[in-house]
Amino acid sequence: MPTGPETSLSPRRPQILFYGTYDAKAHPRVQVVIDGLRSHGLEVVECNVPLGLGTQARVALLAKPWTAPLFVIRLLSRWVALWRQGRTYRDADVVLVPYMGHFDVHLARRRFRRTPIVLDYFISGSDTAKDRNVSNPVVDRVLTMVDHAALKAADVAMVDTDEHLRLMPDWAHGKGLVVLIGASDEWVAPSRPAYDGTRPLKVIFFGLFTPLQGSITIGRALGQLADDENVEVTMAGDGQDLLAAQEAATANPRVEWKGLVPSEQMPSLCAEHDVCLGIFADNPKGMRVVPNKVYQGIRAGCAIVTSDTRPQRRTLGDLAVYVAPADPTALAGALRGLAADPARVAALQAASRSAAARFGPAGVVGDLVARVEAIGTRVSG
């Protein structure tokens, strides 16, 4: 019989390093994934030097390519800091490069050569350029090369819908993993009285007024509601289609245009409303996404009105009122109908509150937890 000390080997759950120039405050998906992994008991550490350029600024580079050297200089300065700081995290079991990490993933691959790398691929550069109307054959070719190079550098590539998964090149499908966008816990609002029809229906839209969001369609619908005193609307945000949306809604005196609202104030502002609007575009990207605002509206306890698309119906089910994409008359009719049917609004609000946990951080990362444990678990004694 053995007389020496017994040794038992047991699996150790992986440590996950978030690495890159991401900005969790500007892009809520990053924090949702971090919080979700931690809620499942995984250790998450961060090595982060924010680049300081959001999506709009990066898209502007495509329209002004002569400014690209400034972007490169800024990126390289952050990479120098990341490279140095990375020495501290050599024992990480999995490296996760968050949203907008198409370049950062190459630095991660060189810094952590033997470590599995997860890239939050989320959106492709070429797809974004097309959505923002700054694409041309040269830009599309270059961004497709950037997209494919990022996918090759990663072991796992996260996207947000099955439609985006199918959009990946065939050779990368085995790397793909669908992780819903979800919304952070700060969007969960205290219970409040349901809409009862004794006051106007309060509706909110918030966003960057991109073509994807269909804000011009919303503006036209609001114009059709100009004579309806039972619907009041808040429009929060700014972006390329703002002026066109405002012009379309000019006749409606019950629309408040709030401009950009600090991100920390958005959850409480949303929770003050009965209905949260999703997206209404009929462009290709609009048919493939489930926008973050519907998850946020659900967690805030709002009824949801959004476009009738396959990914939204599959994900939201009975939680939303669906209208045909790019159809302002259908949208106006849906809002009139809800204002006249308090019981339905109250039921939708109750359904949102019941579904809040499903679209919170812990709820959306289940498959990601399984994947990182599969690729990152080591045996320790």
Side-chain angles (χ1 to χ4, degrees), residues 273-328:
H273 293 76
D274 307 303
V275 175
C276 179
L277 299 180
I279 60 172
F280 301 93
D282 62 352
N283 58 30
K285 187 170 183 179
M287 307 303 284
R288 291 194 300 265
V289 305
V290 182
N292 60 358
K293 54 181 58 56
V294 301
Y295 296 112
Q296 292 164 339
I298 287 171
R299 301 212 82 201
C302 295
I304 303 298
V305 179
T306 193
S307 55
D308 192 355
T309 65
R310 186 170 297 175
Q312 293 195 96
R313 274 198 178 269
R314 182 178 61 245
T315 304
L316 306 179
D318 295 334
L319 292 174
V321 173
Y322 300 99
V323 300
D327 188 337

Side-chain angles (χ1 to χ4, degrees), residues 193-196 274 301 303 338 341-353:
Y195 176 68
D196 61 5
D274 307 303
L338 289 174
D341 192 350
R344 190 181 186 198
V345 177
L348 287 166
Q349 291 173 320
S352 286
R353 289 192 291 272

Side-chain angles (χ1 to χ4, degrees), residues 13-326:
R13 301 192 77 190
Q15 180 192 79
I16 304 165
L17 170 65
F18 275 60
Y19 186 78
T21 58
Y22 60 90
D23 186 339
K25 185 175 181 180
H27 303 114
R29 176 168 168 86
V30 180
Q31 196 62 50
V32 167
V33 176
I34 291 174
D35 292 345
L37 293 173
R38 286 175 173 162
S39 73
H40 282 267
L42 294 173
E43 181 185 1
V44 176
V45 294
E46 296 185 66
C47 184
N48 175 217
V49 183
L51 183 62
L53 289 177
T55 305
Q56 287 181 304
R58 298 188 192 212
V59 170
L61 287 172
L62 302 177
K64 301 176 181 179
W66 57 88
T67 64
L70 296 177
F71 169 79
V72 172
I73 292 172
R74 179 188 289 250
L75 180 64
L76 290 176
S77 70
R78 270 58 170 184
W79 277 10
V80 169
L82 283 170
W83 184 269
R84 291 171 177 168
Q85 294 177 24
R87 299 170 184 166
T88 307
Y89 302 99
R90 289 177 177 172
D91 293 333
D93 301 298
V94 177
V95 174
L96 195 152
V97 180
Y99 172 58
M100 297 187 77
H102 285 47
F103 295 110
D104 292 342
V105 68
H106 299 290
L107 180 69
R109 175 53 69 199
R110 284 157 180 75
R111 193 60 169 114
F112 305 94
R113 292 181 180 275
R114 299 180 181 179
T115 305
I117 294 178
V118 178
L119 169 67
D120 191 353
Y121 186 64
F122 190 48
I123 57 174
S124 74
S126 58
D127 199 29
T128 300
K130 292 172 184 175
D131 176 54
R132 302 299 180 91
N133 297 323
V134 292
S135 183
N136 60 56
V138 174
V139 167
D140 185 60
R141 191 178 305 114
V142 170
L143 291 181
T144 297
M145 291 173 58
V146 170
D147 292 337
H148 288 188
L151 288 171
K152 289 178 180 178
D155 299 291
V156 177
M158 294 161 48
V159 292
D160 63 317
T161 65
D162 291 340
E163 285 72 14
H164 279 148
L165 183 62
R166 288 194 289 269
L167 200 64
M168 292 169 61
D170 291 343
W171 54 263
H173 279 181
K175 300 182 178 186
L177 179 69
V178 175
V179 178
L180 300 181
I181 297 175
S184 63
D185 290 339
E186 65 184 351
W187 285 87
V188 178
S191 297
R192 65 185 189 279
Y195 176 68
D196 61 5
T198 60
R199 55 170 175 76
L201 184 74
K202 297 183 65 176
V203 179
I204 186 169
F205 170 82
F206 52 92
L208 296 176
F209 289 81
T210 65
L212 164 68
Q213 296 172 351
S215 51
I216 297 176
T217 295
I218 298 173
R220 290 170 179 164
L222 299 184
Q224 295 183 26
L225 292 170
D227 61 349
D228 194 328
E229 297 181 355
N230 296 315
V231 180
E232 295 180 350
V233 181
T234 299
M235 300 287 284
D238 195 359
Q240 68 190 81
D241 287 342
L242 173 61
L243 294 179
Q246 289 177 323
E247 182 178 357
T250 299
N252 194 328
R254 284 169 295 280
V255 181
E256 180 182 7
W257 302 86
K258 294 188 72 70
L260 289 174
V261 176
S263 58
E264 62 271 15
Q265 296 177 18
M266 274 308 311
S268 59
L269 177 64
C270 184
E272 295 172 0
H273 293 76
D274 307 303
V275 175
C276 179
L277 299 180
I279 60 172
F280 301 93
D282 62 352
N283 58 30
K285 187 170 183 179
M287 307 303 284
R288 291 194 300 265
V289 305
V290 182
N292 60 358
K293 54 181 58 56
V294 301
Y295 296 112
Q296 292 164 339
I298 287 171
R299 301 212 82 201
C302 295
I304 303 298
V305 179
T306 193
S307 55
D308 192 355
T309 65
R310 186 170 297 175
Q312 293 195 96
R313 274 198 178 269
R314 182 178 61 245
T315 304
L316 306 179
D318 295 334
L319 292 174
V321 173
Y322 300 99
V323 300

